[in-house]
Amino acid sequence: MKKHPVSFTLNGQTVELLTAPNRTLLQVLREDLGLTGTKHGCGLGDCGACTVLLDDEPVNSCLILAVQVHGREVTTIEGLADGDRLHPLQEAFIQKGAIQCGFCTPGMLLSAKALLDRKKRPGEEEIRRALSGNLCRCTGYQKIVEAVEDAAKTMRTKKGAAS
Amino acid sequence: MKKQFDVINSRAPRLDAPDKAAGRAVYAADLNRPGQLYGAILQSPLAHARILDIDVSRAERLPGVKAVITAQEVGLTRYGVSPARYDETLFARDKVRYVGDEIAAVAAVDLETALEALALIQVDFEELPPVFDPHQAMAAGAPQLHEDYPRNICAEVHQEFGDVAAAFKDCDLIHNHKFVNKRQDAAFLEPHACLAEYDLSGHLTLFTSTQVPHYVQRTVAMVTGLPVGRVRVVKPYVGGGFGPKAEATPLEMSSCFLSMKTGRPVKMSYTREQVFLHSRARHRFFHEMTTGVNKDGTILALDHQCLLDGGAYSSFGIATVYYAGSLLGGPYRLPNMKYDGWRVYTNKPACGAQRGHGGVAARACFEQQLDIIAEQLGLDPIELRLKNIMSTGDVTCNELNMSSLGMRECIEAVRKGSNWNKKKGRLPQGKGIGMACGFFVSGAGYPIYRSDTYHSTVVIKVAEDGGTVTVQTGSAEIGQGSDTTMAMIAAETLGIPLSDVRVVSGDTDLSVDLGAYSSRQTLMTGHAAKEAAEEVKRQILEVLAEELGLDPARLDIRRGRIKIKGPPVDITPLRIRYLREHRGWSNQPEGDELCFREAARLAYLAKGTIVGTGKYKPPPLGGRFKGATVGTSPAYGCSAQVVEVSVDLETGQVFVEAMTDAHDCGLAINRTSVEGQMEGSLCMGLGEALFEEVKFDEQGRVVNPSLGEYHIPTALDMPKVKSIIVESNEPNGPFGAKEVGEGAIMPTIPAIINAVYDAAGVRINELPLTPERVLMALKEAQKKPGQVKGGKTKAHRPPRRN
Amino acid sequence: MLLPKFDYHAPASLEETCALLREFGPRAKLLAGGTDLLVNMKKKALAPEQVVSLDRVPGLDQVLTDKNRVTLGAGCRASRLAESRAVKKNLHLLAQAAGNLGSPLIRNRATLGGNLVTARPASDLAPPLMALDARVVLTSADGERQVPLDEFFLGPGQTLIRPEEVLTSVVIPRPKPGSGGGYFKLGLRRTLEIALVNAAAFITLDPGGRKIETARVVLGAVAPRPIRSAAAEKILAGAAPSAKILTQAARAAAGDARAITDHRGSAEYRRQMVEVLTRRALQAAWAEAGA
């Protein structure tokens, strides 16, 4: 089984590696690149714990071959914060108690980010729908939805305010 | 009188949240060690079979394989959860008892090789007839799973409190009701994972996703034969537990043996499918309850039988079969209660403890029955509850002491919060409102193994300089927020800001703690943390008092400052001492009160490292009858819920539109965390009520071992939840706190099924309420328009006995 | 869960793709969204020796609308179909169906072509497309052929596509004014569900709006492949639209269902749901057609 070169942008940096084609993006992120923030929950696209952004769209990284991201942009949870400045979603999740065991959190945050990057003022139903591929067993989703609403408000205010 | 707290009872953000939000929190599968091997387990494809031969030779010869182990290598030490039922061995030697039963394990240089090696292990089986239904398993002539347990009865319970038969004679109404749920799965997002490291000096460290490092340590030591002092269990962050992770797993023990055999670290995890095969999750319960009441609604007697489908091994089941009965002793006054329970072996994965342990299906049955009785008596369901609830200080017929019980407050809160009075009886067809109550232990009164051990010990060490403290505890943060809770209790007790408290936890090196199960840590570990903090505070203030020449009773610490009662005291000399010692530092203490860090520094200079220890063990609880211990607890949380549903009368689909929950947690150490546990419990209850069941085929294979086919609620399935915290101030809890983690799920299923009755006029007494089940019930009901809604009154007859 | 070993190809053109398929034949599988292929490979249901990715092939994800037809590239993701203005405007029931497929994460990957070629009886996209009288375009090194979608499915996982062919686009006649469609899906949860039963309906009223000129009713998950309900369509064709006629048609559709009992539900329940979902789909179609 021949290995393939893959060159892609990961959290803003170029990454080049050689990989067997039967390795998923999830495996390569976690095992080859040491980025364990993206989680393995089921391996079959049923739970969303492995969510990453592929060219800004949230996808299950367990169902993408690493070779498929050649030339693309991947954002993982490790790329959400800006250096040591947490993203407003991360701040909101922390403040609102949207994190319990934390295992769904990376995927949940990225799905939420994709939503807020597209929609400034999502309604509750829209938020739930955007997160509907990310399962959570701990929170009942209540505080997650509240956190996303909060972050949306913060992000609108920040943009509107003069620097 | 509301106390004013500085740290607790607030919405402090959790200590672990930033790392989790940044993807930096390390879980067991995130761990890696140089030179690590990867392990995999060979599992039985058959539900019941004798093992005639195991040939591992081809597997051993596969390049990259470093060890293959079977019962021959690891021995046949029996283990389990309760020493009364050590009925499993790590690997099967004589026979396998369910599809998934472990036979061997392999360690190799990578996972592909390990899995390839499994395929090379040859096992000769002689198939035995399996039995999957617990009724059949108890019948004469059924295949026997365990030699020591005839008729496959793993455990049976027979208890009577008061005199049920006599009480029934006084009843105006006796109602008989049956209820059955399905086997469920905890479906935590993180599959089990572990990494075992056996070092060159004979010490074993097991990193594992567990709720109970202490019990795992003991089981691993017992099964490996290593002295317990050479076994260390470390829990990284855990992605949910909910019960099935409250016992040692074959995954953990395999990795330990493999590491011992190879001398290398061995990393292992379950696939999601294997999580389903391992199970140790909620039993299937067949309940039959005959309840007698007066016409004014006073509950007089309950005759209760329950059959538990236990799967192939005991796991927690011997406790489960007791809880199924004992947890009906409250929260209503019930002077006469009879309970007969049987937990039966079947050739399926073993069932164990899952959130609400044994009480969930029983509570659903009873609360549905109470609604039926209310209707027959012409009483509002809430009024019926209010008529019967116990009060603080009452003791149940099975000797459980309600040292605090905010049941009335919870009921009134949800009645008001849901607008019950405006909605009940006024919603259109297809829309309904229902309610239910529940209660649960705040920690089991006794450890799983017979012992006088403390249930929790905590060590608090004060930094020699810098004014911070570290709480060291063996307790398990599994997502419920226990680390933050202990930090808040320590900070509140000591009088310092939360930001000055660090927690190190989940490591058996740190202290003894029985772990996160039976909703125990806030009360029990909390007590120990409080005691340790008090001890630290005492030591520090003692030194300070001496330095200042004051009576220690004049001194206190609040918000990080030393408060001195009475005539003012000049602290300047002590301040100068501190400043001199920290010349060149910025952020120096100022103001006319000493800071905690100055006092802590003084204490160190006087006494050396300041350490406080705390410990907690409940007093002897409960009665003297057999099984009395199960259900005992130093305190009981309770709750009430109101749920609104809409039912699509053409498809049978049930949609939960609103949920209002009130939970008495004694005192909320962290309000956000308490609400989080309430909301999560409701979500799990909703899933179990509407969607969740583990299904088997005729060969005993799990048909839906995936999160695609075992359906847990998504964000679109959950409505908004209104969470109301009730605080009854539990005298046996630290600062008045008691549980929330498991009690909150108790009312959910019955509130939903009661609401469905209100919406659609059908009583469904089998879970889950799939659209098909609901529609079929609707069609049945339509065929018999004359029948009284909600079942019939039966003349009393003696309940069946097996 | 590990994927088995395979050789991987990422051709840069359709020609290259067809050449590879000609070379490998049934030893190769095409990879588009991966939400079905990779799942089945992990479950060991499939282990193709060669995996040929369509990622680099240009021109497969276009949405083209002209006077007479709408042409959808097979590489269109379900999310695109759900959100595209052209699809929502002209083929509303398809947008609805696409928006109900899987989860948002799956929708960002699953493709139109993949959903059709994998031929699951409960496919979300097949019933609306059959109701819209779609044709699939199958391309190989030898050229192109078009097959009506009605004839394309043979059974679970089986279609008329040949090993050397690529499904490149789906052609749908542009609905005339006075047309409307509806799609309903029944599952346990509100999302992330494989349909227990699904139904699509499409009707076109005559220019006066008083008669149903054409009607197509498609039932999913109640047969080895999505099926048209001849009995329902017979009742509808030429009839004056009314709640009564729609109810009759829905009842007839239930008679056409060949549902089975499996662990998800009984045949009888599925049959009853065919009636309910078909009626609702027809009502939605009528409402849209009359609007």
PDB file of all heavy atoms in Angstrom, chain B residues 648 650-651 655 691 695 709 711-712 717 771-772 779, chain C residues 188-190 193 263-266 269 272-273 279-280:
ATOM      1  N   ASP B 648     -48.139  13.188  18.026  1.00  0.00           N
ATOM      2  CA  ASP B 648     -48.705  13.151  16.680  1.00  0.00           C
ATOM      3  C   ASP B 648     -49.611  11.931  16.641  1.00  0.00           C
ATOM      4  O   ASP B 648     -49.140  10.799  16.628  1.00  0.00           O
ATOM      5  CB  ASP B 648     -47.568  13.052  15.651  1.00  0.00           C
ATOM      6  CG  ASP B 648     -48.084  13.089  14.222  1.00  0.00           C
ATOM      7  OD1 ASP B 648     -49.199  12.611  13.968  1.00  0.00           O
ATOM      8  OD2 ASP B 648     -47.359  13.576  13.351  1.00  0.00           O
ATOM      9  N   GLU B 650     -51.334  10.593  14.510  1.00  0.00           N
ATOM     10  CA  GLU B 650     -51.354   9.735  13.325  1.00  0.00           C
ATOM     11  C   GLU B 650     -50.114   8.868  13.219  1.00  0.00           C
ATOM     12  O   GLU B 650     -50.146   7.804  12.619  1.00  0.00           O
ATOM     13  CB  GLU B 650     -51.448  10.586  12.063  1.00  0.00           C
ATOM     14  CG  GLU B 650     -52.797  11.223  11.862  1.00  0.00           C
ATOM     15  CD  GLU B 650     -52.864  11.883  10.504  1.00  0.00           C
ATOM     16  OE1 GLU B 650     -51.894  12.592  10.131  1.00  0.00           O
ATOM     17  OE2 GLU B 650     -53.866  11.680   9.808  1.00  0.00           O
ATOM     18  N   THR B 651     -48.993   9.360  13.762  1.00  0.00           N
ATOM     19  CA  THR B 651     -47.770   8.563  13.663  1.00  0.00           C
ATOM     20  C   THR B 651     -47.376   7.959  15.001  1.00  0.00           C
ATOM     21  O   THR B 651     -46.559   7.048  15.039  1.00  0.00           O
ATOM     22  CB  THR B 651     -46.589   9.426  13.178  1.00  0.00           C
ATOM     23  OG1 THR B 651     -46.349  10.451  14.153  1.00  0.00           O
ATOM     24  CG2 THR B 651     -46.883  10.046  11.824  1.00  0.00           C
ATOM     25  N   PHE B 655     -43.291  14.256  21.111  1.00  0.00           N
ATOM     26  CA  PHE B 655     -42.315  15.344  21.162  1.00  0.00           C
ATOM     27  C   PHE B 655     -42.405  15.995  22.532  1.00  0.00           C
ATOM     28  O   PHE B 655     -43.498  16.378  22.961  1.00  0.00           O
ATOM     29  CB  PHE B 655     -42.609  16.383  20.075  1.00  0.00           C
ATOM     30  CG  PHE B 655     -42.581  15.807  18.687  1.00  0.00           C
ATOM     31  CD1 PHE B 655     -43.761  15.524  18.013  1.00  0.00           C
ATOM     32  CD2 PHE B 655     -41.387  15.529  18.058  1.00  0.00           C
ATOM     33  CE1 PHE B 655     -43.751  14.979  16.737  1.00  0.00           C
ATOM     34  CE2 PHE B 655     -41.355  14.988  16.780  1.00  0.00           C
ATOM     35  CZ  PHE B 655     -42.537  14.707  16.116  1.00  0.00           C
ATOM     36  N   PHE B 691     -36.492   6.718  23.099  1.00  0.00           N
ATOM     37  CA  PHE B 691     -35.698   6.191  21.985  1.00  0.00           C
ATOM     38  C   PHE B 691     -34.851   4.955  22.290  1.00  0.00           C
ATOM     39  O   PHE B 691     -34.554   4.177  21.389  1.00  0.00           O
ATOM     40  CB  PHE B 691     -34.688   7.252  21.496  1.00  0.00           C
ATOM     41  CG  PHE B 691     -35.237   8.605  21.215  1.00  0.00           C
ATOM     42  CD1 PHE B 691     -34.563   9.737  21.669  1.00  0.00           C
ATOM     43  CD2 PHE B 691     -36.398   8.784  20.496  1.00  0.00           C
ATOM     44  CE1 PHE B 691     -35.028  11.011  21.400  1.00  0.00           C
ATOM     45  CE2 PHE B 691     -36.883  10.065  20.221  1.00  0.00           C
ATOM     46  CZ  PHE B 691     -36.188  11.174  20.679  1.00  0.00           C
ATOM     47  N   LYS B 695     -30.812  -3.891  21.379  1.00  0.00           N
ATOM     48  CA  LYS B 695     -31.583  -4.996  20.779  1.00  0.00           C
ATOM     49  C   LYS B 695     -30.681  -6.182  20.471  1.00  0.00           C
ATOM     50  O   LYS B 695     -29.513  -6.010  20.104  1.00  0.00           O
ATOM     51  CB  LYS B 695     -32.225  -4.505  19.477  1.00  0.00           C
ATOM     52  CG  LYS B 695     -33.118  -3.288  19.678  1.00  0.00           C
ATOM     53  CD  LYS B 695     -33.621  -2.746  18.343  1.00  0.00           C
ATOM     54  CE  LYS B 695     -34.313  -1.413  18.547  1.00  0.00           C
ATOM     55  NZ  LYS B 695     -34.676  -0.761  17.289  1.00  0.00           N
ATOM     56  N   GLU B 709     -27.644   3.631  15.650  1.00  0.00           N
ATOM     57  CA  GLU B 709     -28.828   2.786  15.827  1.00  0.00           C
ATOM     58  C   GLU B 709     -29.281   2.672  17.268  1.00  0.00           C
ATOM     59  O   GLU B 709     -30.342   2.151  17.545  1.00  0.00           O
ATOM     60  CB  GLU B 709     -28.558   1.382  15.262  1.00  0.00           C
ATOM     61  CG  GLU B 709     -28.424   1.357  13.751  1.00  0.00           C
ATOM     62  CD  GLU B 709     -29.734   1.611  13.018  1.00  0.00           C
ATOM     63  OE1 GLU B 709     -30.805   1.587  13.657  1.00  0.00           O
ATOM     64  OE2 GLU B 709     -29.691   1.850  11.806  1.00  0.00           O
ATOM     65  N   HIS B 711     -30.299   5.222  19.874  1.00  0.00           N
ATOM     66  CA  HIS B 711     -30.538   6.648  19.670  1.00  0.00           C
ATOM     67  C   HIS B 711     -30.573   7.431  20.967  1.00  0.00           C
ATOM     68  O   HIS B 711     -31.509   7.270  21.755  1.00  0.00           O
ATOM     69  CB  HIS B 711     -31.886   6.838  18.958  1.00  0.00           C
ATOM     70  CG  HIS B 711     -32.070   5.941  17.762  1.00  0.00           C
ATOM     71  ND1 HIS B 711     -31.795   6.342  16.487  1.00  0.00           N
ATOM     72  CD2 HIS B 711     -32.504   4.668  17.665  1.00  0.00           C
ATOM     73  CE1 HIS B 711     -32.055   5.360  15.645  1.00  0.00           C
ATOM     74  NE2 HIS B 711     -32.490   4.327  16.326  1.00  0.00           N
ATOM     75  N   ILE B 712     -29.598   8.290  21.166  1.00  0.00           N
ATOM     76  CA  ILE B 712     -29.671   9.197  22.324  1.00  0.00           C
ATOM     77  C   ILE B 712     -30.112  10.567  21.810  1.00  0.00           C
ATOM     78  O   ILE B 712     -29.918  10.883  20.638  1.00  0.00           O
ATOM     79  CB  ILE B 712     -28.339   9.270  23.104  1.00  0.00           C
ATOM     80  CG1 ILE B 712     -27.266  10.034  22.340  1.00  0.00           C
ATOM     81  CG2 ILE B 712     -27.877   7.879  23.496  1.00  0.00           C
ATOM     82  CD1 ILE B 712     -26.007  10.278  23.170  1.00  0.00           C
ATOM     83  N   ASP B 717     -33.849  17.225  19.850  1.00  0.00           N
ATOM     84  CA  ASP B 717     -34.858  16.422  20.552  1.00  0.00           C
ATOM     85  C   ASP B 717     -35.150  16.950  21.941  1.00  0.00           C
ATOM     86  O   ASP B 717     -36.156  16.599  22.555  1.00  0.00           O
ATOM     87  CB  ASP B 717     -34.385  14.956  20.655  1.00  0.00           C
ATOM     88  CG  ASP B 717     -34.198  14.332  19.295  1.00  0.00           C
ATOM     89  OD1 ASP B 717     -35.191  14.231  18.554  1.00  0.00           O
ATOM     90  OD2 ASP B 717     -33.058  13.959  18.961  1.00  0.00           O
ATOM     91  N   PRO B 771     -42.738   5.536  18.319  1.00  0.00           N
ATOM     92  CA  PRO B 771     -43.973   5.913  17.644  1.00  0.00           C
ATOM     93  C   PRO B 771     -44.878   4.705  17.385  1.00  0.00           C
ATOM     94  O   PRO B 771     -46.090   4.776  17.555  1.00  0.00           O
ATOM     95  CB  PRO B 771     -43.481   6.529  16.327  1.00  0.00           C
ATOM     96  CG  PRO B 771     -42.110   7.009  16.629  1.00  0.00           C
ATOM     97  CD  PRO B 771     -41.552   6.063  17.643  1.00  0.00           C
ATOM     98  N   GLU B 772     -44.257   3.586  17.036  1.00  0.00           N
ATOM     99  CA  GLU B 772     -45.073   2.404  16.764  1.00  0.00           C
ATOM    100  C   GLU B 772     -45.816   1.948  18.009  1.00  0.00           C
ATOM    101  O   GLU B 772     -47.015   1.658  17.955  1.00  0.00           O
ATOM    102  CB  GLU B 772     -44.184   1.272  16.230  1.00  0.00           C
ATOM    103  CG  GLU B 772     -44.990   0.007  15.974  1.00  0.00           C
ATOM    104  CD  GLU B 772     -44.242  -1.049  15.183  1.00  0.00           C
ATOM    105  OE1 GLU B 772     -43.166  -0.748  14.623  1.00  0.00           O
ATOM    106  OE2 GLU B 772     -44.763  -2.174  15.129  1.00  0.00           O
ATOM    107  N   LYS B 779     -54.495   2.843  18.597  1.00  0.00           N
ATOM    108  CA  LYS B 779     -55.439   2.079  17.788  1.00  0.00           C
ATOM    109  C   LYS B 779     -56.218   1.084  18.649  1.00  0.00           C
ATOM    110  O   LYS B 779     -57.404   0.895  18.455  1.00  0.00           O
ATOM    111  CB  LYS B 779     -54.707   1.333  16.669  1.00  0.00           C
ATOM    112  CG  LYS B 779     -53.930   2.261  15.743  1.00  0.00           C
ATOM    113  CD  LYS B 779     -54.416   2.225  14.317  1.00  0.00           C
ATOM    114  CE  LYS B 779     -53.972   3.493  13.618  1.00  0.00           C
ATOM    115  NZ  LYS B 779     -54.024   3.539  12.225  1.00  0.00           N
TER     116      LYS B 779
ATOM    117  N   LEU C 188     -37.056   8.053  14.581  1.00  0.00           N
ATOM    118  CA  LEU C 188     -37.276   8.182  16.019  1.00  0.00           C
ATOM    119  C   LEU C 188     -36.963   9.592  16.489  1.00  0.00           C
ATOM    120  O   LEU C 188     -37.764  10.253  17.124  1.00  0.00           O
ATOM    121  CB  LEU C 188     -36.386   7.206  16.785  1.00  0.00           C
ATOM    122  CG  LEU C 188     -36.898   5.804  17.049  1.00  0.00           C
ATOM    123  CD1 LEU C 188     -35.956   5.104  18.020  1.00  0.00           C
ATOM    124  CD2 LEU C 188     -38.287   5.821  17.642  1.00  0.00           C
ATOM    125  N   ARG C 189     -35.749  10.028  16.165  1.00  0.00           N
ATOM    126  CA  ARG C 189     -35.310  11.356  16.595  1.00  0.00           C
ATOM    127  C   ARG C 189     -35.595  12.363  15.488  1.00  0.00           C
ATOM    128  O   ARG C 189     -35.987  11.997  14.383  1.00  0.00           O
ATOM    129  CB  ARG C 189     -33.807  11.336  16.894  1.00  0.00           C
ATOM    130  CG  ARG C 189     -33.420  10.411  18.014  1.00  0.00           C
ATOM    131  CD  ARG C 189     -31.920  10.421  18.245  1.00  0.00           C
ATOM    132  NE  ARG C 189     -31.169   9.854  17.144  1.00  0.00           N
ATOM    133  CZ  ARG C 189     -29.859   9.648  17.174  1.00  0.00           C
ATOM    134  NH1 ARG C 189     -29.178   9.965  18.262  1.00  0.00           N
ATOM    135  NH2 ARG C 189     -29.228   9.125  16.141  1.00  0.00           N
ATOM    136  N   ARG C 190     -35.336  13.629  15.811  1.00  0.00           N
ATOM    137  CA  ARG C 190     -35.613  14.661  14.801  1.00  0.00           C
ATOM    138  C   ARG C 190     -34.494  14.792  13.788  1.00  0.00           C
ATOM    139  O   ARG C 190     -34.593  15.538  12.829  1.00  0.00           O
ATOM    140  CB  ARG C 190     -35.816  16.016  15.490  1.00  0.00           C
ATOM    141  CG  ARG C 190     -37.157  16.077  16.181  1.00  0.00           C
ATOM    142  CD  ARG C 190     -37.499  17.477  16.597  1.00  0.00           C
ATOM    143  NE  ARG C 190     -38.673  17.468  17.469  1.00  0.00           N
ATOM    144  CZ  ARG C 190     -39.188  18.528  18.055  1.00  0.00           C
ATOM    145  NH1 ARG C 190     -38.620  19.698  17.893  1.00  0.00           N
ATOM    146  NH2 ARG C 190     -40.252  18.413  18.814  1.00  0.00           N
ATOM    147  N   GLU C 193     -31.213  10.300  11.549  1.00  0.00           N
ATOM    148  CA  GLU C 193     -32.009   9.087  11.461  1.00  0.00           C
ATOM    149  C   GLU C 193     -32.014   8.537  10.043  1.00  0.00           C
ATOM    150  O   GLU C 193     -32.072   9.283   9.068  1.00  0.00           O
ATOM    151  CB  GLU C 193     -33.477   9.368  11.849  1.00  0.00           C
ATOM    152  CG  GLU C 193     -33.669   9.698  13.317  1.00  0.00           C
ATOM    153  CD  GLU C 193     -33.526   8.493  14.208  1.00  0.00           C
ATOM    154  OE1 GLU C 193     -34.308   7.533  14.072  1.00  0.00           O
ATOM    155  OE2 GLU C 193     -32.619   8.497  15.066  1.00  0.00           O
ATOM    156  N   HIS C 263     -35.758  -4.921  13.127  1.00  0.00           N
ATOM    157  CA  HIS C 263     -35.623  -4.444  14.509  1.00  0.00           C
ATOM    158  C   HIS C 263     -36.054  -2.995  14.673  1.00  0.00           C
ATOM    159  O   HIS C 263     -36.292  -2.531  15.781  1.00  0.00           O
ATOM    160  CB  HIS C 263     -34.192  -4.658  15.028  1.00  0.00           C
ATOM    161  CG  HIS C 263     -33.185  -3.692  14.468  1.00  0.00           C
ATOM    162  ND1 HIS C 263     -32.944  -2.455  15.045  1.00  0.00           N
ATOM    163  CD2 HIS C 263     -32.355  -3.774  13.405  1.00  0.00           C
ATOM    164  CE1 HIS C 263     -32.021  -1.821  14.343  1.00  0.00           C
ATOM    165  NE2 HIS C 263     -31.647  -2.599  13.359  1.00  0.00           N
ATOM    166  N   ARG C 264     -36.199  -2.286  13.547  1.00  0.00           N
ATOM    167  CA  ARG C 264     -36.617  -0.890  13.673  1.00  0.00           C
ATOM    168  C   ARG C 264     -38.126  -0.735  13.761  1.00  0.00           C
ATOM    169  O   ARG C 264     -38.628   0.255  14.295  1.00  0.00           O
ATOM    170  CB  ARG C 264     -36.117  -0.071  12.471  1.00  0.00           C
ATOM    171  CG  ARG C 264     -34.639   0.074  12.435  1.00  0.00           C
ATOM    172  CD  ARG C 264     -34.221   1.226  11.538  1.00  0.00           C
ATOM    173  NE  ARG C 264     -32.809   1.114  11.237  1.00  0.00           N
ATOM    174  CZ  ARG C 264     -32.318   0.775  10.060  1.00  0.00           C
ATOM    175  NH1 ARG C 264     -33.123   0.540   9.052  1.00  0.00           N
ATOM    176  NH2 ARG C 264     -31.026   0.675   9.884  1.00  0.00           N
ATOM    177  N   GLY C 265     -38.844  -1.669  13.173  1.00  0.00           N
ATOM    178  CA  GLY C 265     -40.298  -1.543  13.216  1.00  0.00           C
ATOM    179  C   GLY C 265     -40.976  -2.669  12.484  1.00  0.00           C
ATOM    180  O   GLY C 265     -40.342  -3.429  11.746  1.00  0.00           O
ATOM    181  N   SER C 266     -42.299  -2.755  12.675  1.00  0.00           N
ATOM    182  CA  SER C 266     -43.047  -3.848  12.050  1.00  0.00           C
ATOM    183  C   SER C 266     -43.535  -3.440  10.665  1.00  0.00           C
ATOM    184  O   SER C 266     -43.668  -2.250  10.355  1.00  0.00           O
ATOM    185  CB  SER C 266     -44.251  -4.211  12.924  1.00  0.00           C
ATOM    186  OG  SER C 266     -45.227  -3.181  12.838  1.00  0.00           O
ATOM    187  N   TYR C 269     -46.857  -1.449  10.904  1.00  0.00           N
ATOM    188  CA  TYR C 269     -46.711  -0.028  11.253  1.00  0.00           C
ATOM    189  C   TYR C 269     -46.205   0.758  10.057  1.00  0.00           C
ATOM    190  O   TYR C 269     -46.686   1.846   9.745  1.00  0.00           O
ATOM    191  CB  TYR C 269     -45.774   0.138  12.447  1.00  0.00           C
ATOM    192  CG  TYR C 269     -45.536   1.577  12.818  1.00  0.00           C
ATOM    193  CD1 TYR C 269     -46.545   2.342  13.410  1.00  0.00           C
ATOM    194  CD2 TYR C 269     -44.314   2.191  12.553  1.00  0.00           C
ATOM    195  CE1 TYR C 269     -46.346   3.670  13.723  1.00  0.00           C
ATOM    196  CE2 TYR C 269     -44.101   3.522  12.875  1.00  0.00           C
ATOM    197  CZ  TYR C 269     -45.117   4.257  13.461  1.00  0.00           C
ATOM    198  OH  TYR C 269     -44.912   5.572  13.777  1.00  0.00           O
ATOM    199  N   GLN C 272     -48.929   1.393   7.630  1.00  0.00           N
ATOM    200  CA  GLN C 272     -49.833   2.460   8.082  1.00  0.00           C
ATOM    201  C   GLN C 272     -49.185   3.830   7.910  1.00  0.00           C
ATOM    202  O   GLN C 272     -49.845   4.809   7.571  1.00  0.00           O
ATOM    203  CB  GLN C 272     -50.210   2.247   9.551  1.00  0.00           C
ATOM    204  CG  GLN C 272     -51.095   1.020   9.762  1.00  0.00           C
ATOM    205  CD  GLN C 272     -51.476   0.836  11.233  1.00  0.00           C
ATOM    206  OE1 GLN C 272     -51.453   1.796  12.011  1.00  0.00           O
ATOM    207  NE2 GLN C 272     -51.823  -0.382  11.610  1.00  0.00           N
ATOM    208  N   MET C 273     -47.905   3.903   8.137  1.00  0.00           N
ATOM    209  CA  MET C 273     -47.207   5.180   8.018  1.00  0.00           C
ATOM    210  C   MET C 273     -47.081   5.608   6.566  1.00  0.00           C
ATOM    211  O   MET C 273     -46.998   6.799   6.271  1.00  0.00           O
ATOM    212  CB  MET C 273     -45.832   5.112   8.674  1.00  0.00           C
ATOM    213  CG  MET C 273     -45.879   5.035  10.178  1.00  0.00           C
ATOM    214  SD  MET C 273     -46.887   6.363  10.926  1.00  0.00           S
ATOM    215  CE  MET C 273     -48.420   5.498  11.247  1.00  0.00           C
ATOM    216  N   ARG C 279     -50.122  10.952   2.442  1.00  0.00           N
ATOM    217  CA  ARG C 279     -51.158  11.987   2.496  1.00  0.00           C
ATOM    218  C   ARG C 279     -50.535  13.341   2.809  1.00  0.00           C
ATOM    219  O   ARG C 279     -50.865  14.348   2.190  1.00  0.00           O
ATOM    220  CB  ARG C 279     -52.225  11.625   3.511  1.00  0.00           C
ATOM    221  CG  ARG C 279     -53.334  12.695   3.587  1.00  0.00           C
ATOM    222  CD  ARG C 279     -54.548  12.287   4.397  1.00  0.00           C
ATOM    223  NE  ARG C 279     -54.226  11.409   5.514  1.00  0.00           N
ATOM    224  CZ  ARG C 279     -53.776  11.816   6.698  1.00  0.00           C
ATOM    225  NH1 ARG C 279     -53.601  13.076   6.944  1.00  0.00           N
ATOM    226  NH2 ARG C 279     -53.514  10.939   7.655  1.00  0.00           N
ATOM    227  N   ARG C 280     -49.630  13.364   3.759  1.00  0.00           N
ATOM    228  CA  ARG C 280     -49.005  14.640   4.122  1.00  0.00           C
ATOM    229  C   ARG C 280     -48.165  15.180   2.971  1.00  0.00           C
ATOM    230  O   ARG C 280     -48.154  16.385   2.708  1.00  0.00           O
ATOM    231  CB  ARG C 280     -48.147  14.474   5.370  1.00  0.00           C
ATOM    232  CG  ARG C 280     -49.006  14.192   6.596  1.00  0.00           C
ATOM    233  CD  ARG C 280     -48.181  14.049   7.852  1.00  0.00           C
ATOM    234  NE  ARG C 280     -49.052  13.725   8.996  1.00  0.00           N
ATOM    235  CZ  ARG C 280     -48.639  13.580  10.234  1.00  0.00           C
ATOM    236  NH1 ARG C 280     -47.358  13.725  10.522  1.00  0.00           N
ATOM    237  NH2 ARG C 280     -49.497  13.286  11.186  1.00  0.00           N
TER     238      ARG C 280
END
